Amino acid sequence: MKINVLKNYKELSSTVADIVEEQITKHPLTKLGLPTGSTPFGMYDELVNKKLDWKSVITFNLDVYLMNITRPQSYQSYMRKNLFDRTNIYPDNSHFPFRPFSAFEDKIKGSKGIDLCILGIGSNGHIAFNEPGSSFKSRTRVVNLDEQTIIDNARFFDSLDDVPTQAITMGLGTIMESKKIVLIANGVKKKSILNQAMLGIITEDVPASILQNHKNVKIYYCD
Ligand code: PGA
């Protein structure tokens, strides 16, 4: 698989924002799969500055912590702050994984599936919160977060003990049904896991490696 290496974080953010812009402009009824974490901050800023028309766009977030959603660290708060409150997206059109999970999956299927899914990658090779060992056939479900993920994400919380230990995530099977996938990774600390996932063997121990089986995936990385 080709890993496209970009000059810097600005170029990474604008490249993926341009891909989302093209998708929305050509197909106003687009269904997007959206990530959280630190990597997409620049992409969301660029998208907001483009002043696109989001009124017919439908979004499905990849995952949510099991926590009080009114707290600033929740992914619901993150999305409002970084994208939803800064665009004309219709609130009923933005979805987070919800129970019953079969209804969430039906909601994706009922909207004819995700057209473009943007992903980050965890330092342990997770995509969304599909931690190492997740089944390639997995669907939306509750997961226990890996110790490494809790350590990595502690920077967003007051302390390590404050980080939620569980989340709801789209499954790898769910994500793989997206028509197009773009994965973004920022920083040398992601380089070795990215190489392992995209150039190494396809194994459930490295969840992102499943993307090697997808027909339309683009990978962007910057140091
Ligand atoms: P990050 O997280 O963007 O904060 O590095 C990515 C991920 O865990 O998927």
Side-chain angles (χ1 to χ4, degrees):
M1 278 194 98
K2 182 163 188 264
I3 298 174
N4 297 287
V5 180
L6 299 177
K7 275 204 303 280
N8 50 38
Y9 181 64
K10 170 94 185 127
E11 198 185 10
L12 181 79
S13 302
S14 61
T15 299
V16 66
D18 287 350
I19 292 171
V20 177
E21 175 182 31
E22 190 186 348
Q23 177 70 32
I24 294 179
T25 309
K26 280 195 183 152
H27 308 283
L29 300 172
T30 282
K31 278 80 63 184
L32 297 176
L34 294 179
T36 43
S38 54
T39 312
F41 282 137
M43 170 190 77
Y44 287 131
D45 267 345
E46 297 261 353
L47 279 173
V48 167
N49 291 336
K50 286 176 185 292
K51 309 235 176 298
L52 303 173
D53 186 359
W54 288 77
K55 73 171 180 297
S56 307
V57 176
I58 296 178
T59 65
F60 295 96
N61 267 82
L62 298 168
D63 48 16
V64 285
Y65 288 120
L66 276 182
M67 67 182 291
N68 178 344
I69 64 170
T70 63
R71 288 188 61 194
Q73 295 94 343
S74 77
Y75 286 166
Q76 290 86 347
S77 300
Y78 173 111
M79 289 306 297
R80 274 199 304 277
K81 182 166 172 228
N82 290 292
L83 186 70
F84 298 156
D85 286 354
R86 302 161 75 198
T87 64
N88 67 337
I89 191 162
Y90 187 54
D92 284 356
N93 283 349
S94 53
H95 306 289
F96 294 89
F98 60 83
R99 292 173 203 265
F101 304 136
S102 57
F104 177 68
E105 295 266 346
D106 287 347
K107 188 111 205 161
I108 297 175
K109 286 198 191 97
S111 69
K112 304 229 168 56
I114 292 172
D115 299 300
L116 172 63
C117 185
I118 313 295
L119 299 174
I121 181 170
S123 67
N124 62 359
H126 73 204
I127 47 176
F129 275 137
N130 293 284
E131 303 287 25
S134 296
S135 163
F136 282 165
K137 296 198 177 105
S138 55
R139 312 299 305 186
T140 304
R141 68 204 187 284
V142 172
V143 291
N144 294 323
L145 297 180
D146 236 32
E147 200 182 333
Q148 187 58 51
T149 299
I150 292 172
I151 293 168
D152 288 349
N153 290 4
R155 67 193 194 280
F156 298 112
F157 291 84
D158 295 337
S159 71
L160 199 60
D161 288 343
D162 198 31
V163 185
T165 56
Q166 288 192 308
I168 306 173
T169 185
M170 272 187 208
L172 294 170
T174 322
I175 290 169
M176 285 293 281
E177 287 166 8
S178 306
K179 295 175 189 88
K180 287 180 265 184
I181 294 178
V182 173
L183 183 142
I184 49 175
N186 171 34
V188 280
K189 62 183 188 307
K190 296 281 174 75
K191 193 172 187 168
S192 108
I193 191 66
L194 189 64
N195 283 333
Q196 206 182 323
M198 301 309 153
L199 310 172
I201 57 164
I202 300 173
T203 164
E204 289 175 350
D205 292 338
V206 183
S209 66
I210 195 179
L211 297 177
Q212 294 187 45
N213 290 335
H214 196 282
K215 285 196 192 67
N216 194 337
V217 52
K218 290 197 170 75
I219 315 288
Y220 295 100
Y221 166 81
C222 71
D223 283 337

